[in-house]
Amino acid sequence: MRINKKITAVIAVFLLCLASFIPIFAIDAYVTVIYRKVDIAFINKSDSELNSVLSESNTDKNYYLVENYTMKKIRRLIIDQDYDFAMKADLIVIDNNLDNVEAVELYSTISAALEKQKEQERLVEEQRQAQLARFNEEKERQKVVLEKKYNVVETPAGDVVYVKNKEEKFSANWWKTTFGIFDGNLIVDAGHGFNSFRYGISADFVYEHTFDKMVFGIDAGGQVIFLPFSGDDSTMLGTFEVIPKLGLGKYFQVRTGVSGVMRFNSGDETNLQQTVVSPIVGVGLAHVNLGKITMNMNADYLFGHFAYSGLNFAMNSALNFAIPIAEMEKFKVSFNLGAKDTLFLRSSGVENRTGLILAIGVENVVK
C-alpha cells in the first residue's frame, strides 16, 4: 500500500512538471514563427513586410520578444553600415510602440551615421567625377594629337581607327615650284615722296632633302616688275635669290646665300635704290600646318649693303600660305597667297617695296 502511494506521488509530480513545460514550448514555437517572418522581411529589406509582422503582433503579450529580436537585427544593420534600411526598420518599431525609448534613441544615432555616410559618398563621387573629367580631357587632348598625326579611318562597325602617320615620308626628296600669275607691288620712296603701284610676274623653286635629324635644301626664285599702273619713272624692277638652307627641328630653318634687288633703265627720272646684290643670312619657318593650309615665312638680312653708298640697311622678307586644290598619286596642286617685302634704310629716307602675290604651285607627294 505504501509503495502504491509513492508511485502515485511520482506520477503526480511528473504530470505537474509536464503541464508547466507545455506553455513554454508553445510560446517558443509561436515566437519562432514570428522570428522567421522578421528574418524574411530583413532579407528582402521590405519595410512593408516588417510593418505587417510587427503590427499583427504588437498587441500580443509576447510582443516584447519580437521587438527585442527586431532591435537586434537593426543593430546588426548598423554594424554592417546599412543605415538606410536600419532607419526604416527603426521607424517601424517606433510606430508600433511609441514607448520604446531605445528605438527612439537609436533613431538619432542612425540618422547621424546616415548623414555622415552620405557626405562621404558625396565626396567620393566628387572625386570620381573630377578624375573622370581629367580622364576625358586627356582623352580629348590625345584624340586631337592623334588626328593631327594620323589619318582617321572609320570601320563599318562605326569604330575609329588611326592609321598611317601623317608625318611619315616615303621619299627623302621634296620639291615645289610656283608661278605668280599676279604680282602687285607697291613702291614707296618716303625720302623723295614717290609712290608707285606696278604689276609683275614671279617664279619660285624649292628643293629639300630629309636626313635623319635635319633637312638640307635650297630656295631659288625671281620676279620681274614691268608694268606701272601709277608712278611711272621709266624703270623696271626685279629680284632674284639663290639660298641654301638647313632645317633644324621640325619647322625652323637657317638660310645663307645670295640675293639681288634689281633696278633697270636707270636715269634722271628716278630716285629709287640702284641694284643691290648681296650675300644674306636669315631664318625661316617651313611646313607649318594650319589645318589644311601650309604656311612658310622667312626673313633675310642683306649684309652687303655696306658696299653701297648711302645704304644703311637692307632686308628681305616673305610670307606664303598654300591652300591645296587637288592631289594626285604623285603630285599636288595648290593655290598660293603670298607677300614679299624689301626694306631699304637709306641716308635719304626709307624705301619699301611690298608685293602681293597670287600663284599656282605644284609639288611632289612624299607622304
Side-chain angles (χ1 to χ4, degrees):
M1 190 68 179
R2 187 174 295 177
I3 294 174
N4 290 336
K5 288 181 179 180
K6 288 182 178 181
I7 293 173
T8 301
V10 170
I11 292 172
V13 171
F14 175 76
L15 291 175
L16 288 173
C17 291
L18 182 62
S20 63
F21 277 115
I22 287 175
I24 296 175
F25 291 148
I27 291 173
D28 287 345
Y30 161 72
V31 173
T32 300
V33 171
I34 300 177
Y35 286 173
R36 180 56 182 166
K37 292 181 180 180
V38 171
D39 289 338
I40 294 174
F42 272 84
I43 291 173
N44 296 332
K45 291 189 176 181
S46 172
D47 49 344
S48 60
E49 291 182 17
L50 180 62
N51 184 58
S52 176
V53 173
L54 297 185
S55 61
E56 290 175 358
S57 308
N58 61 7
T59 58
D60 192 277
K61 64 179 181 179
N62 295 314
Y63 176 71
Y64 74 96
L65 296 174
V66 178
E67 190 176 51
N68 290 340
Y69 184 75
T70 304
M71 292 296 293
K72 289 179 182 180
K73 301 286 287 186
I74 293 173
R75 285 191 287 271
R76 183 62 191 177
L77 289 178
I78 296 174
I79 294 173
D80 294 338
Q81 297 184 349
D82 187 355
Y83 303 121
D84 190 44
F85 188 69
M87 177 173 285
K88 292 179 181 179
D90 192 61
L91 281 173
I92 291 171
V93 172
I94 295 173
D95 288 342
N96 284 276
N97 182 11
L98 296 176
D99 295 329
N100 192 327
V101 178
E102 181 186 1
V104 174
E105 293 176 350
L106 191 60
Y107 179 83
S108 299
T109 302
I110 298 173
S111 179
L114 183 61
E115 287 298 321
K116 184 176 180 181
Q117 184 185 60
K118 288 182 177 179
E119 178 65 16
Q120 290 176 343
E121 290 176 352
R122 184 185 66 80
L123 294 175
V124 170
E125 179 62 19
E126 286 181 356
Q127 185 178 12
R128 189 187 72 84
Q129 291 294 335
Q131 291 175 346
L132 182 61
R134 287 194 296 268
F135 172 78
N136 290 332
E137 182 180 351
E138 178 64 17
K139 181 179 177 181
E140 288 300 316
R141 190 184 70 81
Q142 291 295 334
K143 181 180 178 181
V144 172
V145 173
L146 288 172
E147 288 178 348
K148 286 183 178 179
K149 293 182 63 177
Y150 294 89
N151 293 316
V152 180
V153 176
E154 186 171 340
T155 66
D159 298 325
V160 174
V161 179
Y162 299 94
V163 297
K164 188 182 175 184
N165 191 333
K166 291 181 178 179
E167 302 296 331
E168 182 181 0
K169 293 189 175 182
F170 301 111
S171 172
N173 300 305
W174 175 79
W175 58 262
K176 179 179 180 180
T177 182
T178 57
F179 177 73
I181 56 178
F182 174 83
D183 192 345
N185 288 262
L186 178 63
I187 315 300
V188 178
D189 183 1
H192 298 91
F194 175 77
N195 297 288
S196 176
F197 183 74
R198 309 182 183 190
Y199 171 81
I201 58 175
S202 63
D204 294 280
F205 178 77
V206 182
Y207 171 81
E208 292 180 358
H209 181 84
T210 302
F211 296 93
D212 290 338
K213 295 183 179 180
M214 63 179 60
V215 176
F216 174 79
I218 187 168
D219 290 349
Q223 66 178 160
V224 179
I225 307 166
F226 57 87
L227 180 60
F229 290 107
S230 65
D232 185 5
D233 60 355
S234 300
T235 62
M236 185 170 65
L237 305 177
T239 63
F240 76 89
E241 64 180 16
V242 179
I243 303 175
K245 60 184 181 179
L246 185 65
L248 304 174
K250 189 175 181 181
Y251 304 115
F252 184 73
Q253 296 180 342
V254 293
R255 301 153 48 89
T256 183
V258 62
S259 179
V261 183
M262 316 298 293
R263 190 191 78 180
F264 305 101
N265 302 333
S266 300
D268 295 336
E269 299 181 29
T270 184
N271 291 302
L272 295 179
Q273 174 65 42
Q274 63 179 325
T275 296
V276 175
V277 179
S278 169
I280 69 100
V281 61
V283 294
L285 292 175
H287 311 294
V288 179
N289 292 320
L290 305 175
K292 293 183 178 181
I293 300 174
T294 302
M295 183 189 76
N296 295 275
M297 63 186 302
N298 62 267
D300 302 322
Y301 170 53
L302 285 67
F303 57 87
H305 67 84
F306 294 107
Y308 297 90
S309 176
L311 184 57
N312 301 319
F313 179 83
M315 178 179 179
N316 287 334
S317 59
L319 174 66
N320 185 75
F321 296 96
I323 305 170
I325 299 175
E327 183 173 343
M328 293 158 277
E329 184 178 355
K330 295 184 179 180
F331 301 100
K332 180 190 297 184
V333 181
S334 62
F335 173 75
N336 291 259
L337 174 63
K340 290 185 178 181
D341 186 81
T342 296
L343 175 66
F344 292 134
L345 298 183
R346 302 168 59 188
S347 299
S348 60
V350 176
E351 180 181 326
N352 194 67
R353 305 179 185 183
T354 302
L356 175 65
I357 303 171
L358 305 180
I360 298 297
V362 179
E363 62 188 279
N364 67 323
V365 176
V366 296
K367 58 182 179 180

